[in-house]
Amino acid sequence: MPKIHGSIAAGHAKTVEAGLEMFRLGGNAFDAAVAGVMASFVVEPTLTSPAGGGFLLAHPAAGRNILFDFFTQTPQQPNLSQVDFRPAVVNFGSVTQEFQIGLGSIAVPGAMGGLLHVHRRLGRLPLEAVAAPAIDYAKTGVEFTEFQDYCFQLLKPILLDNAGSRQLFAPDGALPVTGSLWKMPDLAESLAYLVEAGAAGFYQGDIAARLVQDCQNQGGHLTLNDLRDYQVIERSPLTVRYRNRTVLTNPLPSAGGTLIAFALKLLESADLSQVEFGDAQHVTLLARVMQLTNLARQDGFDAQLYAADLAEQFLSPQHLASYQQRLAQSAQPHSQHSNKWGSTTHLSAIDSEGNAASVTTSNGEGSAYVIPETGIMTNNMLGEADLHPQGFHNWQPNLRISSMMAPTLILRDGQPEIALGSGGANRIRTAILQVISNLLDFEMSVEQAVNSPRVHWEAGVFNLEPGFERLTLDSNQFPFNETLELWSQQNMFFGGVHAVTQAEQQFTGAGDPRRDGATGVG
């Protein structure tokens, strides 16, 4: 039998294939992750971008665990004159949602700098080889999928907003449809240029100059100093124990990882040995854990995200105990913003050498501004309501924006057993929580764990996917004073968990069908 080098799960078959090609060339999990994310810029263009941001959680076989933070940053100086910051209304069928776009919505990008930093620190193959699949996809084209078609139609008001966005996303005069050939020739040229020029080509060279000139002339905040001074931050991951495993995830100032850790600790305090998946006791417990996590978040967590010892306080036995006591009581729902979209994607990789990578990236919905002649649409992270609970235009200058993204690794006896993460805005943390519990509490296979139905509580609404046949929804078994929303089918609203596992050199993986996920072993 041929040697297995590792496994990858991601949001598109071509993203996975790019990573597997790195394994075939002798690369490691970090080469595979960087190649896959670059490929996702081409084949998942409504979910991520070189001008977005993200996080990569790395477990090197030799060395310390590292969380590479390359999320977006607030500008150093707000533009106090006329700012291009305007609404775009997206129609989801049953509801509409307003997003903010324009050059005034662009935060300092981190994705391209982050990938090049990770490759330089942990990669093995030449950058030219790592970028080759993405450049090839962009130049020669890939078949447009049904899920891409769905995403393009949802974001149509943004993708067709101006001449630059129309040239990128509708080069033939209309948005592409399922089965057509999707190309991004300008992006191919940009990636080839960045292979030669490195991060300086994006943050100090021609690309930076074009972006800043338009921001200064057309109502954006970014300056050359913003781009030149941007730094990838290497953080120590947040580490918690759950069911005799070590869980590594995204630390502060991002909120998602700490909230997942808090929810896991609440869940661990409950006895699940006599609970069946999907029965009333299980679903009620999940709902209460989600309610209490949101309540804890609103009890001052968001306002203190940049306090160095906040995670220690938040996860302290005393703080947890006060919420654990309330698991048997009804937690009152607290209203908060609910983002129906969640323009994010994820990739997980583990290799046979003991390296593991979990990486989540996002472009928001995109600002609708495309850097001229680059094929790169910029993020709209300054216009994301979920990221600015204090309101738009109230951000602190020159500060990392907090995020719900939570790339996660689970170690058993110090070795990577599970790599996972998700897209989905506020559903990221509940999706990851449920998949971890499915794997470790209910001993599901990774495919079962990812494909099983999910729930999500938010803003007084309890959302349930179909598949909870054991659940009887009556006031005695389900005593919540809130709205129940029963979905008719699985939906990307509930996240997109792409996960891989390995035990004794046996690799398995699952790409979430809710977001067109794929997996491969090679």
Side-chain angles (χ1 to χ4, degrees), residues 7 15 18 41 111 173 176-177 187 201 216 240 252 305 329 394 416 428 431 439:
S7 181
T15 303
F41 296 155
V177 297
L187 181 58
Q216 296 302 300
V240 294
L252 296 173
L305 278 173
Q329 306 168 4
N394 291 322
I428 287 174
L439 287 163

Side-chain angles (χ1 to χ4, degrees), residues 355-435:
N355 301 297
S358 178
V359 53
T360 314
T361 61
S362 177
N363 201 38
E365 294 72 42
S367 66
Y369 167 75
V370 176
I371 306 172
E373 301 177 2
T374 66
I376 298 173
M377 182 166 72
T378 51
N379 70 81
N380 69 326
M381 297 301 186
L382 297 182
E384 281 275 10
D386 288 343
L387 303 182
H388 302 280
Q390 307 305 318
F392 298 128
H393 311 302
N394 291 322
W395 38 266
Q396 297 182 52
N398 201 29
L399 201 65
R400 235 5 161 248
I401 298 174
S402 181
S403 171
M404 280 298 154
M405 292 193 282
T408 300
L409 297 173
I410 299 176
L411 310 183
R412 185 171 190 171
D413 300 326
Q415 299 301 310
E417 180 183 27
I418 304 164
L420 75 164
S422 179
N426 281 332
R427 280 87 59 205
I428 287 174
R429 65 181 188 271
T430 57
I432 293 173
L433 171 73
Q434 289 171 85
V435 172

Side-chain angles (χ1 to χ4, degrees), residues 329-345:
Q329 306 168 4
S330 291
Q332 293 302 311
H334 282 228
S335 175
Q336 68 181 61
H337 181 81
S338 179
N339 183 335
K340 293 288 185 183
W341 170 241
S343 185
T344 313
T345 192

Side-chain angles (χ1 to χ4, degrees), residues 262-284:
F262 184 81
L264 285 172
K265 285 300 182 184
L266 291 180
L267 197 60
E268 192 173 41
S269 68
D271 182 7
L272 295 177
S273 61
Q274 303 302 314
V275 175
E276 289 189 62
F277 176 86
D279 67 12
Q281 187 177 357
H282 175 226
V283 174
T284 299

Side-chain angles (χ1 to χ4, degrees), residues 11-276:
H12 192 285
K14 288 294 187 181
T15 303
V16 170
E17 177 56 32
L20 292 178
E21 178 63 19
M22 299 306 105
F23 285 155
R24 288 191 284 268
L25 293 174
N28 59 25
F30 309 114
D31 293 310
V34 173
V37 175
M38 285 187 177
S40 71
F41 296 155
V42 181
V43 299
E44 303 174 58
T46 55
L47 303 180
T48 187
S49 163
F55 306 87
L56 187 148
L57 178 57
H59 173 83
R64 66 183 181 93
N65 300 309
I66 307 171
L67 187 284
F68 294 94
D69 176 347
F70 47 92
F71 198 53
T72 53
Q73 183 106 346
T74 58
Q76 297 177 22
Q77 184 67 45
N79 178 358
L80 300 179
S81 60
Q82 190 72 25
V83 177
D84 178 25
F85 190 86
R86 48 201 163 77
V89 177
V90 172
N91 189 339
F92 290 88
S94 59
V95 296
T96 61
Q97 186 171 344
E98 184 176 286
F99 297 103
Q100 303 301 319
I101 62 171
L103 282 90
S105 72
I106 307 170
V108 185
M112 201 65 223
L115 293 183
L116 296 177
H117 182 96
V118 171
H119 174 263
R120 184 172 65 252
R121 287 277 277 107
L122 298 176
R124 177 185 299 155
L125 295 173
L127 182 58
E128 183 179 8
V130 173
I135 293 172
D136 179 61
Y137 299 160
K139 187 179 299 184
T140 63
V142 295
E143 184 177 340
F144 205 69
T145 67
E146 184 177 353
F147 181 70
Q148 288 173 312
D149 194 337
Y150 171 73
C151 293
F152 271 53
Q153 290 301 320
L154 275 182
L155 296 184
K156 186 175 181 178
I158 299 173
L159 305 184
L160 300 181
D161 177 77
N162 58 78
S165 63
R166 289 191 293 273
Q167 181 181 358
L168 178 60
F169 296 106
D172 298 324
L175 294 176
V177 297
T178 303
S180 61
L181 188 66
W182 170 247
K183 296 182 180 182
M184 301 183 76
D186 285 346
L187 181 58
E189 294 294 328
S190 295
L191 292 175
Y193 164 69
L194 292 171
V195 167
E196 298 296 326
F202 188 93
Y203 292 90
Q204 299 175 37
D206 292 343
I207 293 176
R210 294 173 199 168
L211 171 57
V212 168
Q213 182 179 25
D214 284 345
C215 281
Q216 296 302 300
N217 294 338
Q218 300 176 35
H221 300 282
L222 300 189
T223 66
L224 286 173
N225 285 344
D226 288 320
L227 296 173
R228 182 199 63 202
D229 295 344
Y230 182 86
Q231 296 292 320
V232 178
I233 301 173
E234 297 187 9
R235 305 186 190 275
S236 296
L238 176 63
T239 303
V240 294
R241 294 285 292 174
Y242 184 76
R243 310 298 191 199
N244 298 316
R245 308 298 206 282
T246 299
V247 180
L248 308 176
T249 190
N250 201 0
L252 296 173
S254 283
T258 304
L259 293 171
I260 289 171
F262 184 81
L264 285 172
K265 285 300 182 184
L266 291 180
L267 197 60
E268 192 173 41
S269 68
D271 182 7
L272 295 177
S273 61
Q274 303 302 314
V275 175
E276 289 189 62

